[in-house]
Amino acid sequence: MTQGTPSQGQSVSGAELRLDQVVKRYPGQKVPAVQSLSLTIPAGEIVAFVGPSGCGKTTSLKMINRLIEPTSGTILIDGNDIRQESATSLRRKIGYVIQGGSLFPHMTVATNVGVVPKMLGWDAARIAERTDELLDLVGLDPDRYRDRYPRELSGGQQQRVGVARGLAADPPVILMDEPFGAVDPITRQRLQDELISIQRELGKTIVCVTHDIDEAIKLGDRILILQEGARIAQYDTPENILAAPANDFVADFVGAGSTLKQLSLTRVRSLDLNQPTTARVGEEMGPVLARAEAAGDDEVVILDDRDRPVAWPWLRQMRNKTKVIGEPRENLVTLDEAATLNDALDTMLTAAHSKAIVTGDRDRYLGVLDFETVTEHMRSAEREAAENVENAEKAESAESIEDPAPTGEAGHG
Ligand SMILES: Nc1ncnc2c1ncn2[C@@H]1O[C@H](COP(=O)(O)OP(=O)(O)OP(=O)(O)O)[C@@H](O)[C@H]1O
Ligand SMILES: [Mg+2]
């Protein structure tokens, strides 16, 4: 029936990005917005750019697709200098997604998504096919949404269309500037999960600007922490940055609660999932009830023909029916396998349900996660962190005995 684990074989279709001593000085600026940024982003990775407002994140991003010309320095995509590329060729290679999706209000969803392919001269049938495929990928039913106008969509849905548009021409590189800034926390979490799953599936190189360190920890294979002037404070994996901040700026930026932030490093997929009774829409009810009772389950997860969970009824809600139906949907609480433990807690608390269904690529069912599993994991992570702090304190006091801190020059009597 359900295949246990999702395929991990990721094909990398992304391109390597290299910035070499890139400088941007806006007219009249004394200190350049970007002082000298050198950086390699490996093909197929998500890199999150974080840093305080005005530190040069957007400027750096826009130089990669030449919305802003660098004052000096070089930017290479897979070894090719972007200055040698035509505008069309750059459009083909780099998708761009910004806050709110920034859709054209007078165009339908489908027209918005197809803007770049149209510019590239694709024929109408191919554009239509691609548009439907992408709407499906970002979790919008094409039949329902393709002919709507942006004003007929929620903020989160507009953002999804924005992501679809960024992916439309299948570019190896996608740049995103605060793509999930304007949506509520739960939708934001869904969109992040969607992005991670798209990334898993397509292996793009993604640069995502955010000023939310938790988002960076969740999304980034690596995080680039920038200081004023786009100077690099640290460029490393989330694990390494949390474990060993390079300096006080990074430590402050990452925040005091970094043991709690470890929760953002743990994905739902790494915990043990329960495998309760499942059933298909259309199945005879008798055997399903028998299976559930034999297993001691009081709920059954109902799947559709593509292995997606569609309902999560209590046994008592099923007894008076002869066949399994895709109802009721009210308590269908789902989490993507890429969701973090923070997300899992949020979702369960918001839904007031102590369990959530975990899904993988294209919403395929994987199992059920319960509250106890999450809290147990947190408790053991906390114990571990407390032990680490204790050990570090011991090490520190041993050090200060050997090497007393300098007393300074002033202060005699
Ligand atoms: N068109 C412009 N002309 C002059 N100065 C600019 C221009 N755009 C940005 N700047 C300045 O360059 C610096 C970097 O701006 P940038 O927009 O790259 O910052 P950011 O890190 O994206 O900030 P935020 O988090 O607020 O979006 C800021 O000091 C900003 O005022
Ligand atoms: Mg910005």
Side-chain angles (χ1 to χ4, degrees):
M1 215 177 76
T2 49
Q3 270 143 21
T5 47
S7 85
Q8 292 295 326
Q10 182 201 58
S11 61
V12 173
S13 63
E16 182 195 77
L17 279 177
R18 213 160 84 222
L19 282 70
D20 190 25
Q21 297 181 48
V22 173
V23 176
K24 177 64 193 183
R25 186 191 294 271
Y26 288 108
Q29 223 174 24
K30 285 211 182 68
V31 183
V34 175
Q35 291 183 13
S36 180
L37 184 59
S38 297
L39 175 77
T40 300
I41 297 172
E45 288 202 358
I46 305 188
V47 172
F49 283 16
V50 291
S53 184
C55 72
K57 302 180 294 294
T58 296
T59 305
S60 301
L61 199 72
K62 284 184 168 175
M63 288 193 286
I64 298 173
N65 64 1
R66 289 184 70 187
L67 286 177
I68 294 178
E69 288 294 334
T71 310
S72 61
T74 312
I75 298 174
L76 306 167
I77 296 184
D78 264 350
N80 302 315
D81 190 329
I82 59 167
R83 279 169 301 197
Q84 316 297 331
E85 311 254 353
S86 67
T88 313
S89 146
L90 271 187
R91 292 282 161 276
R92 188 176 293 138
K93 287 189 181 170
I94 306 181
Y96 188 49
V97 179
I98 61 179
Q99 189 166 330
S102 76
L103 306 175
F104 301 113
H106 56 287
M107 290 183 188
T108 64
V109 163
T111 318
N112 265 288
V113 174
V115 158
V116 174
K118 188 166 180 203
M119 201 152 61
L120 296 175
W122 293 19
D123 66 61
R126 184 168 165 219
I127 295 176
E129 193 184 333
R130 179 69 180 152
T131 301
D132 282 5
E133 179 184 89
L134 283 164
L135 289 176
D136 195 37
L137 186 69
V138 300
L140 293 173
D141 178 2
D143 290 336
R144 261 180 84 186
Y145 291 102
R146 75 165 81 78
D147 295 323
R148 291 207 190 171
Y149 285 88
R151 64 171 181 280
E152 298 167 322
L153 303 176
S154 73
Q157 290 167 339
Q158 289 182 27
Q159 193 61 71
R160 278 161 201 262
V161 177
V163 171
R165 187 172 65 181
L167 290 166
D170 200 20
V173 175
I174 296 156
L175 308 178
M176 311 181 102
D177 198 346
E178 310 241 5
F180 311 135
V183 294
D184 65 273
I186 294 291
T187 308
R188 185 184 178 104
Q189 175 194 321
R190 290 256 151 83
L191 291 171
Q192 292 167 342
D193 295 342
E194 210 85 62
L195 183 69
I196 291 169
S197 130
I198 288 170
Q199 161 68 9
R200 260 196 326 253
E201 205 166 322
L202 307 178
K204 304 287 180 191
T205 305
I206 298 178
V207 182
C208 183
V209 168
T210 168
H211 53 237
D212 177 358
I213 184 71
D214 289 308
E215 182 162 272
I217 290 169
K218 178 172 178 183
L219 292 178
D221 294 306
R222 288 162 207 253
I223 300 177
L224 176 73
I225 301 183
L226 293 174
Q227 260 166 289
E228 173 106 23
R231 283 174 300 130
I232 297 179
Q234 192 165 8
Y235 181 40
D236 211 330
T237 60
E239 288 81 358
N240 289 344
I241 287 175
L242 286 176
N247 52 39
D248 288 349
F249 176 83
V250 174
D252 283 350
F253 197 80
V254 169
S258 64
T259 57
L260 261 183
K261 290 206 164 59
Q262 300 281 354
L263 290 179
S264 309
L265 285 175
T266 309
R267 305 295 159 128
V268 159
R269 76 167 84 90
S270 69
L271 301 188
D272 289 330
L273 301 183
N274 300 328
Q275 297 297 336
T277 305
T278 60
R280 295 255 167 214
V281 172
E283 245 186 281
E284 293 291 332
M285 190 59 84
V288 173
L289 293 175
R291 280 207 304 274
E293 276 159 8
D297 290 333
D298 51 5
E299 289 170 294
V300 175
V301 179
I302 311 294
L303 306 177
D304 70 5
D305 56 359
R306 287 166 62 183
D307 275 349
R308 296 174 303 194
V310 290
W312 200 7
W314 299 99
L315 274 202
R316 61 180 144 72
Q317 294 171 303
M318 302 173 73
R319 290 194 193 283
N320 58 353
K321 307 201 171 58
T322 55
K323 286 196 190 260
V324 174
I325 55 168
E327 303 274 340
R329 292 159 187 266
E330 298 91 72
N331 44 7
L332 188 71
V333 183
T334 60
L335 278 172
D336 188 275
E337 60 169 335
T340 66
L341 295 199
N342 274 337
D343 296 339
L345 287 178
D346 269 0
T347 299
M348 288 180 192
L349 293 173
T350 310
H353 197 59
S354 63
K355 295 181 217 170
I357 291 175
V358 177
T359 56
D361 289 341
R362 308 262 167 146
D363 296 333
R364 279 196 17 234
Y365 172 74
L366 296 176
V368 168
L369 180 68
D370 60 34
F371 195 70
E372 288 74 34
T373 307
V374 178
T375 49
E376 184 40 50
H377 183 94
M378 286 170 69
R379 270 197 292 274
S380 66
E382 259 166 39
R383 271 198 301 274
E384 216 170 278
E387 279 164 22
N388 286 345
V389 168
E390 226 168 80
N391 291 341
E393 275 168 3
K394 272 186 204 146
E396 205 165 285
S397 65
E399 221 167 77
S400 66
I401 292 166
E402 284 161 21
D403 178 21
T407 46
E409 287 161 7
H412 295 290

